[in-house]
Amino acid sequence: MRREIRQREAQADDHLPADLHPVLRRIYLNRGVGSAKELDLSLKQLIDYKSLKGIDRAVELLASAVLENWHILIVGDFDADGATSTALAIRALEKMGAKCISYIVPDRFKYGYGLTPEVVEDALQQSPDLIITVDNGISSAAGVEAAQNAGIKVLVTDHHLPGKQIPSADAIVNPNQSGCQFPSKKLAGVGVIFYVMAALRAHLRSIDKLPDPEWSMSELLDLVALGTVADVVALDHNNRILVENGLRRIRNGCARPGIKALIQVAQRQAANLTSIDLGFALGPRLNAAGRLQDMGLGIECLLAKEDTEALTLAAELNAINLERRDIQTQMQTEAMQKIDSTFDGRASLPVGLCVYQVDWHEGVVGLVASKLKERHHRPCIAFAPAGDDGTIKGSARSIPGVHIRDILERVSSLNPGLIDKFGGHAMAAGLSMNLKNLDQFQTAFENAINEVLDDSSLISVIDSEGSLETSQIHMDTATLIQRAGPWGQGFPEPVFDGDFEVIDQRILKDKHWKLRLKTTGNSQPLDGIAFNAVTEQTLVLPSKLRVAYKLGINDFRGQQNLQLMIVQMEPLE
């Protein structure tokens, strides 16, 4: 895999405040942020819910459900976005006077994703009057029809891309549905249900039917922040507002007990929690339940009202996450060995990689696909068995320039019957098929990718903000950047590059580089660490390197020090 460090160029005209720190100015301009308004992350800058297609019908339906005491059943999803969406819907409806609310999360190993007819059959045992889907439903035409045939009304709230067949639900709210004028198409599922509940609150308040007129939807923003970051949706301005205000609640000690407990078991500090912590510490612990067992455990943790109960549930989630790590490590090793042995001696790898093993866990294949994509920088799909009938399920991850859901749609249209089901986003998707079709699918998958790929797409580019002056490589700058987020998908944490002299190098745990670096004109050495960067070809580093790095803060035993988080090293001639 080729990796290149490329310096970003400004994507916006500079109308930023004159007193903005020069490093932040450069970072913002490089991300297309050029005005003071775009830096304003206050809630007053949120896009109004009124431009969401279907919002009026959704509010009408929900108001009837609340005021007439219908039984409302939330149908969630088995990831962190689905869990936070489910918890948010329940807590919001309770605050607005709903008396009978329950939820169900489809068994991913039995029914798969979404509101299927089988899930509706299970739901009938609870006799709901209204089903609300959260983070799913836009591809559930058969399930919606089954529910309506049973006399159940259905409200679909989702953010996934619609397929060719749109369900005939009583109401649909999805910013990505055709004809929706909502400017931000990047809302996570939890963001969509937040907007729906905000619209319902406004309506009930306007007709004097809100039990507590002073209650605010902002109390639920900790859930919105966690679900949005964990689902890796792009942090456009609107999503940054949601995430930042959720983080502020957490930092101010206003998080719900479940999120406080997840922070504790993840060994983080609520007072300085960042979006990176949400994505890499809290999100995986919540997701682990849905990957290996039942996401009901994660939802119950988020719904817990007492600290003791929440901590008990969070500890269970932490234990499941440790098990998930072990399974993932084993599967990753086997997947990489498969690729190395299959393509040994070839000049290059195929443009798309598919791997399968009979004993792999279907709840973990997405993580394996993601790691393979990172290692080889090309679309990857990892498959696992999903039943005794030969069905396998795959999880796909892609690279910029290759819309993976469109690739699967192209394969399916050219090869009818090859894929049983598929769905997803530009960068991630899921599918199922029969094992006997895997070889044919691999060929069709590569052909479809080749139709849209150019050579530059297979170069892994590390976008750098450029170099920092010696005086700027400092704890103050690191702290400034940390507070200037939230950083995440589509609004990445800043990376800088520069030339360094290596004055000391050590290998930690046989795979990490621990370095002492020095820049020209700086007499004070800098600590640097490069995780998982040791290979058989790099057991000794050259004395001079070009380094791409993030300004990290190493918090050890209560003492904070600057540490360069190295993402790429290149020898200097």
Side-chain angles (χ1 to χ4, degrees):
M1 177 184 71
R2 285 180 58 195
R3 300 187 77 183
E4 291 184 3
I5 302 171
R6 295 183 189 172
Q7 293 191 356
R8 295 177 181 268
E9 295 182 359
Q11 301 174 32
D13 294 330
D14 190 351
H15 300 291
L16 294 168
D19 59 350
L20 187 66
H21 191 284
V23 173
L24 290 185
R25 181 180 300 277
R26 189 197 321 176
I27 291 167
Y28 287 135
L29 291 174
N30 286 348
R31 283 155 183 75
V33 176
S35 69
K37 183 178 179 179
E38 294 171 276
L39 296 181
D40 185 353
L41 299 184
S42 63
L43 289 173
K44 65 183 180 183
Q45 294 296 335
L46 274 181
I47 299 170
D48 195 285
Y49 61 79
K50 293 176 184 176
S51 60
L52 279 164
K53 181 181 178 181
I55 195 69
D56 291 339
R57 176 59 186 141
V59 167
E60 179 185 344
L61 197 60
L62 286 168
S64 295
V66 170
L67 299 175
E68 297 171 18
N69 293 323
W70 295 2
H71 176 189
I72 303 170
L73 176 67
I74 313 298
V75 176
D77 187 23
F78 36 69
D79 66 0
D81 189 13
T84 53
S85 298
T86 302
L88 186 148
I90 291 170
R91 286 291 177 254
L93 288 167
E94 286 176 345
K95 285 289 189 179
M96 288 186 277
K99 297 293 189 291
C100 186
I101 314 164
S102 58
Y103 73 88
I104 186 172
V105 180
D107 184 334
R108 77 185 299 161
F109 309 114
K110 184 178 180 182
Y111 298 141
Y113 168 79
L115 181 67
T116 62
E118 294 83 2
V119 171
V120 172
E121 193 67 30
D122 277 358
L124 288 175
Q125 299 175 25
Q126 301 188 41
S127 301
D129 300 298
L130 171 65
I131 286 175
I132 304 174
T133 69
V134 291
D135 191 32
N136 74 90
I138 198 63
S139 60
S140 301
V144 169
E145 183 179 6
Q148 291 176 324
N149 287 341
I152 306 170
K153 296 186 182 297
V154 182
L155 164 59
V156 169
T157 74
D158 201 352
H159 69 123
H160 294 92
L161 297 174
K164 292 181 179 178
Q165 186 177 7
I166 305 300
S168 58
D170 295 87
I172 298 176
V173 181
N174 180 341
N176 289 300
Q177 66 178 310
S178 176
C180 184
Q181 300 301 312
F182 192 76
S184 171
K185 305 300 182 182
K186 306 301 183 182
L187 284 175
V190 71
V192 176
I193 193 64
F194 174 84
Y195 265 93
V196 171
M197 292 299 155
L200 175 62
R201 178 194 176 279
H203 171 71
L204 293 177
R205 196 168 188 268
S206 71
I207 61 173
D208 199 25
K209 295 293 184 180
L210 191 65
D212 179 6
E214 300 306 313
W215 174 75
S216 170
M217 285 291 298
S218 64
E219 291 184 14
L220 302 171
L221 283 170
D222 55 346
L223 290 169
V224 181
L226 176 54
T228 298
V229 174
D231 209 47
V232 202
V233 294
L235 296 187
D236 60 9
H237 186 222
N238 205 61
N239 277 341
R240 293 202 308 280
I241 293 170
L242 292 171
V243 172
E244 177 61 21
N245 283 276
L247 281 168
R248 288 174 186 172
R249 287 193 63 81
I250 295 170
R251 292 170 188 148
N252 291 334
C254 298
R256 67 204 56 253
I259 289 183
K260 288 180 182 177
L262 286 170
I263 294 169
Q264 184 173 335
V265 299
Q267 299 182 341
R268 297 300 194 272
Q269 299 297 319
N272 54 18
L273 201 78
T274 69
S275 56
I276 307 303
D277 295 320
L278 294 177
F280 290 95
L282 274 65
R285 285 168 170 81
L286 192 55
N287 272 323
R291 293 190 184 281
L292 301 190
Q293 295 186 20
D294 177 5
M295 185 46 96
L297 179 65
I299 294 170
E300 289 303 313
C301 179
L302 296 175
L303 290 174
K305 294 182 178 180
E306 301 296 333
D307 290 345
T308 302
E309 178 193 7
L311 192 55
T312 299
L313 294 168
E316 289 186 53
L317 291 171
N318 193 55
I320 297 170
N321 190 52
L322 291 173
E323 180 186 357
R324 185 272 308 167
R325 286 182 188 174
D326 291 341
I327 294 171
Q328 180 185 345
T329 298
Q330 179 67 25
M331 287 172 59
Q332 278 176 206
T333 301
E334 292 167 351
M336 290 174 182
Q337 288 172 346
K338 279 179 176 290
I339 291 172
D340 291 344
S341 62
T342 302
F343 303 107
D344 182 38
R346 296 197 188 182
S348 61
L349 293 174
V351 292
L353 294 172
C354 296
V355 288
Y356 164 81
Q357 189 156 302
V358 70
D359 60 348
W360 281 355
H361 196 297
E362 69 171 272
V364 185
V365 286
L367 299 173
V368 173
S370 182
K371 290 297 182 183
L372 292 177
K373 184 262 297 185
E374 289 174 12
R375 186 186 190 196
H376 298 292
H377 195 69
R378 60 201 63 227
C380 295
I381 308 179
F383 290 91
D388 299 327
D389 60 353
T391 298
I392 59 175
K393 289 185 179 177
S395 192
R397 297 294 184 270
S398 196
I399 59 176
V402 181
H403 192 300
I404 196 66
R405 186 196 171 280
D406 287 357
I407 291 294
L408 295 180
E409 187 166 36
R410 176 69 171 163
V411 170
S412 182
S413 65
L414 293 177
N415 303 270
L418 186 64
I419 302 174
D420 294 335
K421 292 188 295 185
F422 69 91
H425 303 287
M427 303 299 286
L431 70 158
S432 62
M433 69 172 75
N434 195 283
L435 177 59
K436 67 183 181 183
N437 294 334
L438 184 56
D439 288 342
Q440 182 184 351
F441 173 82
Q442 168 77 61
T443 301
F445 183 56
E446 290 180 48
N447 290 340
I449 294 171
N450 272 317
E451 290 179 7
V452 301
L453 196 72
D454 59 60
D455 291 341
S456 63
S457 296
L458 294 179
I459 300 172
S460 177
V461 175
I462 298 168
D463 289 313
S464 167
E465 316 299 328
S467 62
L468 288 174
E469 298 175 9
T470 299
S471 62
Q472 294 172 331
I473 307 176
H474 192 274
M475 268 287 292
D476 291 346
T477 312
T479 302
L480 190 72
I481 290 171
Q482 186 181 81
R483 293 174 178 170
W487 310 108
Q489 182 72 23
F491 203 78
E493 190 178 6
V495 172
F496 305 94
D497 69 88
D499 298 343
F500 293 87
E501 179 184 350
V502 181
I503 58 177
D504 186 49
Q505 53 183 278
R506 290 185 292 129
I507 295 176
L508 303 180
K509 298 183 179 180
D510 298 324
K511 56 184 179 180
H512 313 307
W513 280 114
K514 179 68 174 176
L515 306 178
R516 294 280 280 174
L517 304 169
K518 189 177 178 183
T519 62
T520 303
N522 189 356
S523 59
Q524 193 71 25
L526 298 163
D527 287 330
I529 190 162
F531 289 110
N532 300 305
V534 176
T535 67
E536 292 181 2
Q537 291 75 37
T538 59
L539 292 176
V540 178
L541 295 174
S543 61
K544 293 185 178 180
L545 294 171
R546 184 188 183 201
V547 174
Y549 62 91
K550 299 175 184 177
L551 286 178
I553 299 174
N554 184 26
D555 195 335
F556 183 67
R557 293 178 179 174
Q559 186 170 356
Q560 293 187 331
N561 294 291
L562 181 70
Q563 180 172 249
L564 306 190
M565 311 299 292
I566 298 170
V567 296
Q568 174 74 342
M569 298 181 289
E570 298 175 355
L572 283 173
E573 297 180 359

